[in-house]
């Protein structure tokens, strides 16, 4: 390694140590984000407040409501009539209402069967769907208990046996935490580098660099190497938290995880450098980094939202989002294992994108002033 | 006094809008986000790739398989002949679900016995897995009910489900009103968080402090641009939500603007707080970021606050986004009257006044 490069790297490290905000991005940010997501975000609904309206209480209705009162998914609240229950639902006190009409007991076991009304608050449609599923589950239990009580065989012709692979308890943390590592690495790689390059331009220190004998390649490498190391430090912290604090299983190999992460980090750094070669002030660079890298990593990477369900044109866009490939690798490595069929194509895509971003940066950054 | 504030406000606008990139940044990114969020953020599943592994020799399973084929939620990728093919298909992410029908399916049903089908899903994304199980489950249940009815053994009861405020359970109706809040927060924070930091970095803030302007005047002059841009942003996104995404707007416009006004008090207040602590623009930007990410995640924007641990739920009480989202969704989808939203509006006002007061205090007491 030549002296000019080591000098630049040394200077960058000093700057990192002296300005706490870079350290904050690399270490505090993963910490905060992981804690927030690990503890704050959960798609596992339990104790959903559910309103019960029983217009004519009887032994049958109390058998039925017992199924919901005892379920760990629901916390039940009784209302005298549907009007009150719906008002409580509008005010957000409960998420759904089950109504057993006046003639529930009479219609029960008639050929048409008794209608049970389920009113959902559809505003949060995901929760509404989940509640509908839980209500159905409790309803099936009741059917069986009711049949057993009357000493007859259950009337359900087809039973469903569900097997959920890789995450049998359906802990949402197990997929959120690995996905989040991709978001964090994007932030460290792209946002940080975009800002530090833009800062050099804004403060005029880039001009000072331009008149020195350093080549542009050395300037780029001088930025890449320190922030690569910083990013890997952030990764180590994130992985340690995932494994020991959130107890996410790591079923694949740690070495492949590190290699894939290094690859992704280079891609992210490439994006950051590319942004800063276009935007030479921090405000614009920061904006582009957030819009162009952070949000896509969040929304278009399959981290939370299923890519297959997006409109075709949005699906096409996701192909240039590096985080998409990294999320696929991470979720597979953590939950499934070393599935080469998933890892290799995604890693190949990352290599291509890294080459693209770094190539464009190299073309865009010349030693010249505007 | 007002003349001085006006002059400062005009200067703020000029420094924001003076260059082309600065102007673009205020208009283009929010637009892109609106489109991307509006179209991509959905928990609805469409065309879930799945495979069938049926060992059944009878005819009854055909009706069940036809029901799956007829559903727009599922997309048949493969029909397996061999059990060993199941695992690789799921592991390689080629399918999200395998529907497995045992050898005695038809025989069991015809002889009146209870039989079962197996639904195997990829749990790497547990929310998607749960939805897949729900979707598939409802198809199987419909089939099961129809079969029971045909054999004359009707169910003793059945569930009639209705979803209020969003009868077709459209994901977009849930997310788009939230995006109004998200983008308003984002743009307002970026404008205000950098406003003082930029002057600090360039050294012009000291000059501002020695002018005849009082700290309150500086505060108002710095707050007004963020405020006006925030109102403009909220109006634009609301219009797009109603006319482009066709999200129903049932409530009153006045209630909405009371909510926006009170929310902007907090957004501007927090932005200025961050800005007056920050010494450089990078710190300002980071500060804004460090505030915005938790504010969005802990607001109920994508996942319900009720699912969070109790201590985190308490923490959300100081989050202005939390209240604003309830107002937005209430006004858009439920047509909630002003009276029912008062429990959300007064905390917003309180947070807004408190944060502006702290920002004003920081102006006076933090000098570098």
């Amino acid at each position: 390694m030549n002296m000019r490069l080591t000098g630049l790297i040394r200077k960058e490290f000093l700057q990192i140590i002296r300005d706490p905000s870079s350290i904050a991005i690399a270490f505090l940010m993963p910490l905060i984000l992981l804690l927030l997501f690990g503890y704050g975000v959960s798609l596992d609904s339990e104790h959903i407040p559910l309103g019960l309206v029983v217009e004519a209480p009887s032994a049958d209705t109390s058998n039925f409501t017992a199924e919901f009162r005892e379920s760990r998914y629901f916390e039940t609240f009784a209302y005298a009539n549907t009007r009150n229950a719906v008002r409580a639902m509008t005010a957000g006190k409960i998420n759904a209402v089950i109504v057993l009409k006046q003639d529930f007991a009479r219609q029960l076991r008639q050929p048409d069967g008794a209608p049970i009304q389920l009113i959902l608050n559809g505003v949060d449609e995901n929760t509404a769907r989940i509640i509908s599923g839980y209500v159905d589950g409790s309803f099936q239990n009741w059917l069986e208990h009711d049949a057993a009580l009357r000493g007859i065989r259950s009337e359900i012709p087809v039973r469903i046996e569900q097997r959920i692979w890789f995450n049998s308890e359906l802990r949402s943390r197990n997929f959120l935490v690995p996905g989040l590592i991709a978001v964090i690495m994007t932030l460290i790689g792209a946002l940080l580098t975009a800002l530090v390059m833009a800062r050099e331009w804004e403060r005029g220190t880039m001009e000072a660099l331009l008149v020195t004998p350093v080549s542009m390649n050395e300037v780029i490498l001088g930025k890449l190497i320190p922030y690569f190391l910083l990013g890997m430090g952030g990764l180590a912290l994130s992985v340690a938290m995932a494994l020991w604090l959130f107890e996410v299983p790591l079923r694949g190999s740690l070495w492949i995880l590190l290699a894939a992460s290094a690859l992704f980090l280079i891609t992210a750094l490439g994006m950051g450098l590319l942004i800063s070669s276009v935007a030479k002030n921090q405000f614009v660079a920061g904006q582009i980094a957030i819009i162009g890298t952070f949000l896509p990593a969040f929304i278009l990477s399959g981290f939370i939202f299923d890519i297959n369900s997006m409109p075709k044109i949005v699906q096409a866009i996701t192909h240039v989002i590096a985080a998409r490939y990294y999320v696929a690798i991470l979720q597979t490595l953590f939950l499934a294992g070393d599935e080469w069929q998933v890892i290799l194509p995604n890693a190949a895509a990352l290599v291509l994108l890294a080459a693209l971003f770094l190539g464009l940066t190299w073309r865009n950054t010349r030693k010249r002033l505007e | 006094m007002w003349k001085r504030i006006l002059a400062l406000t005009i200067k703020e606008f000029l420094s924001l809008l003076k260059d082309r990139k600065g102007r673009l940044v205020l208009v283009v990114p929010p637009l892109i986000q609106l489109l991307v969020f509006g179209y991509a953020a959905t928990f609805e599943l469409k065309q879930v790739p799945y495979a069938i592994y049926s060992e059944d020799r009878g005819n009854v399973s055909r009706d069940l398989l036809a029901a799956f084929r007829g559903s727009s939620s599922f997309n048949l990728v493969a029909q397996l002949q061999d059990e060993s093919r199941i695992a690789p298909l799921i592991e390689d992410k080629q399918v999200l679900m395998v529907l497995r029908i045992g050898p005695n399916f038809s025989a069991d049903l015809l002889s009146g016995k209870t039989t079962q089908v197996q639904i195997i899903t990829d749990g790497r994304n547990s929310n998607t897995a749960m939805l897949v199980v729900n979707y598939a489950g409802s198809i199987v249940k419909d089939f099961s009910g129809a079969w029971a009815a045909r054999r004359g053994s009707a169910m003793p009861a059945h569930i009639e489900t209705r979803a209020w405020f969003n009868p077709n359970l459209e994901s977009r109706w849930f997310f788009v009103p939230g995006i109004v809040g998200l983008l308003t927060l984002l743009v307002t924070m970026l404008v205000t968080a950098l406003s003082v930091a930029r002057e600090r970095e360039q050294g012009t803030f000291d000059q501002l402090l020695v002018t005849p302007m009082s700290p309150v005047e500086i505060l108002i002059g710095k707050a007004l641009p963020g405020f006006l841009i925030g109102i403009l942003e909220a109006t634009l996104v609301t219009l797009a939500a109603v006319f482009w995404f066709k999200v129903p707007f049932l409530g009153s416009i006045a209630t909405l603007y009371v909510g926006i006004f009170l929310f902007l008090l907090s957004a501007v207040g927090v932005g200025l707080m961050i800005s007056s602590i920050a010494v450089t623009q990078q710190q300002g930007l980071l500060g804004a970021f460090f505030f915005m990410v938790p504010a969005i995640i802990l607001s109920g924007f994508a996942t319900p606050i009720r699912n969070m641990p109790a201590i985190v739920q308490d923490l959300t009480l100081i989050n202005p986004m939390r209240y604003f989202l309830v107002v937005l969704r209430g006004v858009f989808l439920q047509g909630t009257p002003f009276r029912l939203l008062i429990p959300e509006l007064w905390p917003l006002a309180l947070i807004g006044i408190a944060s502006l007061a702290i920002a004003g205090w920081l102006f006076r007491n933090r000098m570098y």
Side-chain angles (χ1 to χ4, degrees):
Chain A
M1 205 186 285
N2 67 47
M3 254 189 45
R4 288 194 298 266
L5 188 54
T6 44
L8 278 175
I9 292 174
R10 214 175 90 84
K11 169 237 142 198
E12 202 64 40
F13 266 117
L14 285 176
Q15 224 167 4
I16 290 171
I17 292 164
R18 286 179 191 165
D19 179 3
S21 58
S22 298
I23 299 272
I25 295 192
F27 294 103
L28 205 59
M29 181 109 74
L31 201 73
I32 292 178
L33 282 178
L34 279 169
L35 286 177
L36 264 178
F37 269 81
Y39 290 116
V41 172
S42 162
L43 292 159
D44 318 335
S45 293
E46 282 187 15
H47 309 296
I48 299 161
L50 172 76
L52 290 173
V53 178
V54 181
E55 293 185 352
S58 68
D60 281 322
T61 62
S62 76
N63 274 342
F64 180 82
T65 54
E67 216 63 69
F68 292 88
R69 282 197 305 270
E70 285 155 19
S71 162
R72 73 187 163 100
Y73 296 118
F74 297 110
E75 192 177 332
T76 58
F77 297 88
Y79 290 90
N81 54 50
T82 314
R83 238 176 79 91
N84 288 353
V86 166
R87 190 176 303 151
M89 190 170 86
T90 310
K93 291 194 182 78
I94 53 176
N95 280 350
V97 183
I98 290 183
V99 184
L100 299 180
K101 291 266 185 216
Q102 196 77 40
D103 44 6
F104 176 80
R106 190 178 56 77
Q107 284 188 323
L108 196 66
R109 300 188 259 283
Q110 294 296 308
D112 285 342
I116 297 158
Q117 258 186 19
L118 168 65
I119 305 173
L120 300 164
N121 186 338
V123 172
D124 180 353
E125 50 80 37
N126 191 48
T127 305
R129 261 179 237 279
I130 290 170
I131 294 174
S132 171
Y134 287 159
V135 167
D136 235 24
S138 294
F139 175 69
Q140 301 288 338
N141 287 346
W142 171 75
L143 283 179
E144 283 179 30
H145 289 166
D146 183 63
L149 212 63
R150 290 184 289 137
I152 57 169
R153 215 162 31 74
S154 160
E155 313 267 353
I156 309 163
V158 186
R159 218 183 288 278
I160 298 160
E161 190 193 342
Q162 61 182 59
R163 292 271 178 86
I164 291 153
W165 285 10
F166 312 126
N167 188 1
S168 52
E169 322 95 286
L170 286 174
R171 280 175 81 210
S172 56
R173 205 179 268 178
N174 284 5
F175 83 90
L176 287 177
V177 170
L180 197 58
I181 293 178
V183 175
I184 290 169
M185 299 300 281
T186 306
L187 274 177
I188 299 179
L191 184 63
L192 205 56
T193 29
L195 286 181
V196 292
M197 281 291 267
R199 191 173 59 192
E200 301 259 15
W201 284 107
E202 212 176 75
R203 291 186 178 164
T205 46
M206 192 58 112
E207 280 179 43
L209 268 181
L210 293 183
V211 296
T212 61
V214 274
S215 71
M216 212 56 211
N217 286 343
E218 285 167 343
V219 174
I220 292 179
L221 272 179
K223 295 282 176 195
L224 270 180
I225 293 169
Y227 289 100
F228 178 79
L229 294 177
L230 204 63
M232 288 311 274
L235 176 84
L237 175 71
S238 308
V239 172
M241 280 177 75
L243 295 183
W244 290 305
L245 186 63
F246 296 115
E247 297 176 333
V248 178
L250 177 63
R251 303 202 171 104
S253 114
L254 184 63
W255 295 112
I256 298 175
L257 177 65
L258 289 179
S261 304
L263 183 58
F264 177 72
L265 190 56
I266 293 171
T267 317
L269 289 166
M271 290 192 285
L273 287 174
L274 184 60
I275 290 169
S276 66
S277 70
V278 180
K280 287 176 178 147
N281 82 57
Q282 294 186 60
F283 178 65
V284 177
Q287 271 275 25
I288 298 180
I290 290 179
I291 310 289
T293 64
F294 170 70
L295 285 175
F298 223 97
I299 295 163
L300 299 178
S301 66
F303 157 47
I304 296 182
F305 303 109
D306 182 51
I307 292 178
N308 279 321
S309 304
M310 295 173 188
K312 283 277 172 293
I313 181 151
V314 180
Q315 283 191 39
I317 295 172
T318 63
H319 285 290
V320 293
I321 308 296
R324 171 203 168 130
Y325 306 105
Y326 188 44
V327 166
I329 294 178
L330 282 173
Q331 287 184 345
T332 298
L333 276 180
F334 270 98
L335 297 177
D338 297 337
E339 302 294 343
W340 291 106
Q341 300 274 14
V342 177
I343 295 166
L344 286 180
N346 285 304
L350 282 179
V351 171
L352 271 178
L353 284 175
L356 178 71
F357 292 137
L358 289 173
L360 282 175
T361 311
W362 185 75
R363 258 196 49 190
N364 263 348
T365 32
R366 285 284 136 80
K367 273 188 115 172
R368 66 150 187 257
L369 288 169
E370 266 162 28
Chain B
M1 173 185 173
W2 290 106
K3 235 175 113 185
R4 287 198 294 265
I5 293 176
L6 186 69
L8 183 58
T9 308
I10 291 173
K11 180 234 126 195
E12 286 294 311
F13 268 113
L14 284 177
S15 71
L16 268 176
L17 304 176
K18 65 173 189 244
D19 71 330
R20 203 173 58 90
K21 276 176 186 157
R23 282 195 302 272
L24 282 181
V25 151
L26 285 180
V27 180
V28 178
L31 221 65
I32 297 175
Q33 284 171 50
L34 178 66
L35 288 178
V36 168
F37 266 113
Y39 284 113
T42 168
F43 282 128
E44 256 166 277
L45 297 182
K46 286 176 202 129
Q47 302 285 315
V48 173
Y50 78 109
I52 294 169
Y53 174 52
S54 173
E55 296 169 289
D56 186 37
R57 298 279 162 261
N59 294 327
V60 186
S61 59
R62 266 186 219 159
D63 291 345
L64 179 62
L65 298 184
F68 271 91
R69 268 196 217 108
S71 159
S72 65
S73 307
F74 290 97
N75 174 26
L76 183 64
V77 172
Q79 259 177 318
L80 310 180
Q81 308 299 331
D82 185 0
E83 191 179 347
S84 64
R85 289 273 296 130
I86 296 177
L89 269 184
I90 290 189
E91 280 161 5
D92 300 349
K93 294 201 154 192
Q94 290 180 41
V95 299
L96 269 180
M97 177 191 88
V98 175
L99 178 73
R100 183 179 177 172
I101 298 174
N104 300 322
F105 184 83
S106 294
D108 280 345
L109 283 180
L110 288 170
S111 62
K113 277 192 251 169
T114 292
T115 187
Q116 60 183 18
V117 294
Q118 206 178 59
I119 295 171
I120 305 165
T121 51
D122 177 351
R124 270 171 275 192
N125 182 327
S126 67
N127 190 54
T128 306
M130 181 140 66
L131 289 175
V132 168
V133 169
N134 277 358
Y135 282 23
S138 73
I139 292 179
V140 174
K141 259 167 242 152
D142 286 348
F143 170 82
S144 179
W147 181 260
R150 208 185 309 166
R151 313 244 334 153
S153 61
M155 301 264 191
H158 54 268
I159 298 180
E160 289 166 356
T161 307
R162 274 183 301 158
W164 281 30
F165 312 124
N166 184 359
N168 297 325
L169 293 180
E170 304 240 10
S171 219
R172 202 164 289 158
W173 289 18
F174 172 66
F175 278 108
V176 169
I179 295 169
V180 176
L182 185 88
L183 291 183
T184 308
L185 177 74
L186 195 79
V187 171
T188 313
M189 288 287 291
L190 280 174
V191 169
T192 50
L194 291 182
S195 70
V196 183
R198 192 186 303 119
E199 301 229 21
R200 276 239 165 80
E201 201 173 82
Q202 293 166 356
T204 49
F205 196 65
D206 292 349
Q207 292 173 9
L208 204 58
L209 286 177
V210 296
T211 59
M213 294 192 82
S214 70
V216 176
E217 287 169 20
I218 299 178
L219 181 75
I220 298 176
K222 289 275 175 195
L224 268 180
F227 215 86
L228 292 176
I229 288 175
I231 287 185
L232 206 69
E233 188 72 36
T235 308
L236 269 177
V237 185
T238 302
L239 288 175
V242 175
F243 293 106
W244 180 264
F245 286 108
K246 308 266 185 253
V247 178
F249 187 95
L250 304 177
S252 88
I253 294 177
T255 311
L256 177 70
Y257 274 91
V258 172
I260 292 176
F261 177 82
L262 293 176
F263 174 69
L264 283 175
L265 285 184
S266 340
V268 169
V270 175
L272 287 178
M273 258 163 75
I274 292 168
S275 194
S276 42
I277 296 171
V279 188
T280 62
Q281 290 189 62
Q282 185 181 347
Q283 287 179 4
L285 200 68
L286 279 181
F289 197 78
F290 268 113
F291 170 77
M292 270 191 293
V293 171
I296 291 165
I297 290 168
L298 301 181
S299 66
F301 173 72
T303 60
I305 291 177
R306 216 188 305 282
N307 290 358
M308 299 169 189
I311 183 160
V312 180
Q313 287 193 32
D314 292 342
L315 204 66
T316 65
L317 291 177
I318 56 164
N319 180 3
M321 263 298 264
R322 171 204 164 123
Y323 304 102
F324 191 40
L325 285 185
V326 177
V327 174
L328 284 169
R329 287 183 182 136
V331 170
F332 266 95
L333 301 178
Q334 300 190 156
T336 316
F338 186 80
R339 191 170 41 83
L340 280 181
L341 287 173
I342 290 172
E344 316 294 332
L345 293 173
W346 71 258
L348 268 183
L350 202 69
I351 298 170
I353 292 167
S355 56
L356 279 173
I358 297 174
W361 184 85
L362 283 171
F363 271 2
R364 209 168 346 174
N365 293 285
R366 178 161 168 127
M367 269 277 288
Y368 272 87

